[in-house]
């Protein structure tokens, strides 16, 4: 059973703890999308095109909901904790407090000229366990919140069906290990895995720095633009060209001036 993490809430956590959990949350979403896409490929190979399309749509919906929830939570619109037992909320605070302290200790060790590798290994293991514990606790809280207030995002909205004819939406998801572009046009969904998520992040940061720094030569600005375009929009021209292209960025792509690469 896939982990239903789209209902996870971040209310009540401090900034550092919130950032730590968002990292774990994104990792869980990335794993879920990868699993759905593998299942879609398997269904396609077996000739079950309806099942493949259903799984592709589930992957797209997972990406959409994760983005919507994080934006909502960051804006301070988290759902009420009414109906959630106090022990779960106390446990949340304790987990995030421990996680923040261990991350701070990890950063202190990494700042040393010769950090103690054994201590770092132990800390990495403890942080990973705390993140898992946090995810499980948040899933339980989210389940109780959903039961009390209902889902924050309607399950009945068909996002693909809302896109007008002649419009193509290129929606990105940039994870730690994987990066995907979902292309939606004329009721169809195609997914392209970008070759290197780390390379995408690197080029996006280079492009951002090139365009925000005054005095840069034109070539210095357009070289990373061309490089990122080749990676992010590979195979975009394989299908019928749209009248309108709408881009939904993700992660580090939010700092990129899309007009210079699209």
């Amino acid at each position: 059973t896939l982990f239903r993490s789209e209902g996870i809430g971040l209310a009540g956590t401090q900034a550092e703890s919130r950032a730590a959990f968002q990292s774990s949350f994104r990792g869980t979403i990335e794993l879920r999308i990868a699993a759905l896409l593998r299942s879609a490929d398997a269904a396609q190979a077996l000739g079950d095109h309806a099942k493949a399309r259903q799984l592709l749509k589930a992957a797209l919906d997972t990406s959409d909901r994760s983005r919507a929830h994080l934006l909502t939570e960051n804006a301070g619109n988290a759902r009420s904790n009414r109906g959630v037992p106090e022990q779960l909320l106390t446990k949340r605070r304790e987990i995030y407090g421990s996680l923040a302290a261990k991350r701070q200790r990890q950063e202190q060790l990494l700042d040393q000229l010769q950090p103690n590798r054994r201590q770092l290994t132990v800390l990495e293991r403890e942080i990973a366990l705390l993140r898992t514990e946090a995810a499980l606790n948040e899933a339980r809280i989210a389940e109780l919140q959903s039961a009390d207030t209902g889902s924050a995002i309607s399950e009945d909205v068909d996002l693909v069906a809302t896109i007008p004819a002649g419009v193509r939406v290129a929606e990105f998801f940039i994870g730690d290990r994987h990066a995907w572009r979902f292309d939606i046009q004329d009721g169809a969904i195609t997914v392209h895995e970008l070759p290197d998520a780390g390379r995408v992040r690197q080029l996006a940061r280079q492009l951002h720095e090139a365009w925000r720094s005054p005095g840069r030569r034109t070539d210095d600005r357009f070289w990373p633009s061309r490089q990122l375009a080749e990676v992010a929009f590979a195979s975009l021209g394989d299908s019928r060209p749209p009248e309108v292209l709408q881009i939904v960025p993700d992660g580090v792509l939010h700092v990129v001036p899309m007009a210079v690469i699209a």
Side-chain angles (χ1 to χ4, degrees):
T1 301
L2 292 172
F3 178 52
R4 291 185 57 82
S5 56
E6 65 265 25
I8 292 174
L10 304 177
T13 64
Q14 296 179 351
E16 184 174 359
S17 301
R18 184 183 300 233
F21 179 70
Q22 285 187 7
S23 175
S24 175
F25 172 84
R26 290 279 295 182
T28 304
I29 293 298
E30 182 179 356
L31 289 174
R32 180 176 182 180
I33 292 174
L36 287 166
L37 293 179
R38 284 196 299 270
S39 298
D41 287 342
Q44 190 73 30
L46 293 173
D48 192 343
H49 304 300
K51 181 66 173 179
R53 186 183 185 281
Q54 180 184 2
L55 289 164
L56 287 177
K57 186 175 181 301
L60 174 63
D61 288 345
T62 299
S63 174
D64 282 330
R65 290 197 180 96
S66 70
R67 180 182 291 104
H69 273 284
L70 287 179
L71 288 173
T72 300
E73 302 289 4
N74 286 337
N77 296 323
R79 285 172 291 171
S80 169
N81 288 324
R82 186 179 63 181
V84 179
E86 182 60 33
Q87 60 263 34
L88 288 180
L89 300 176
T90 300
K91 186 176 182 180
R92 167 197 268 172
R93 291 190 292 270
E94 291 174 349
I95 292 172
Y96 287 132
S98 297
L99 185 55
K102 290 185 184 298
R103 285 169 61 87
Q104 183 179 15
R105 176 56 181 156
Q106 184 185 44
E107 291 171 2
Q108 290 172 345
L109 285 173
L110 290 171
D111 284 340
Q112 297 176 3
L113 290 177
Q114 293 182 325
N116 187 311
R117 294 298 171 185
R118 183 178 180 279
Q119 290 182 20
L120 282 173
T121 300
V122 172
L123 276 172
E124 289 171 359
R125 186 181 303 116
E126 291 175 345
I127 288 171
L129 290 172
L130 281 170
R131 283 177 171 171
T132 300
E133 189 177 2
L136 293 173
N137 192 62
E138 291 290 347
R140 180 56 181 154
I141 290 174
E143 180 182 356
L144 294 169
Q145 287 174 327
S146 296
D148 184 66
T149 64
S151 176
I153 297 178
S154 172
E155 298 283 346
D156 298 325
V157 176
D158 187 346
L159 298 174
V160 176
T162 64
I163 299 172
V167 175
R168 179 184 297 175
V169 174
E171 178 174 318
F172 291 89
F173 184 95
I174 311 298
D176 287 335
R177 300 178 58 187
H178 301 276
W180 296 283
R181 191 187 74 242
F182 294 85
D183 292 341
I184 309 102
Q185 183 177 3
D186 298 332
I189 305 171
T190 55
V191 183
H192 305 276
E193 182 162 7
L194 307 187
D196 187 339
R199 178 65 171 159
V200 172
R201 289 192 293 271
Q202 179 188 36
L203 288 171
R205 294 188 185 101
Q206 288 177 355
L207 179 57
H208 175 68
E209 183 62 27
W211 281 84
R212 71 185 293 270
S213 301
R216 290 290 188 97
R217 296 184 308 162
T218 301
D219 286 347
D220 292 339
R221 288 180 170 175
F222 281 98
W223 180 85
S225 301
R226 289 191 294 268
Q227 294 292 309
L228 183 57
E230 290 178 3
V231 174
F233 292 103
S235 71
L236 188 62
D238 291 352
S239 55
R240 184 169 61 83
E243 298 174 14
V244 178
L245 173 64
Q246 295 183 347
I247 300 171
V248 183
D250 183 57
V252 71
L253 292 182
H254 281 291
V255 304
V256 170
M258 284 293 171
V260 304
I261 68 170

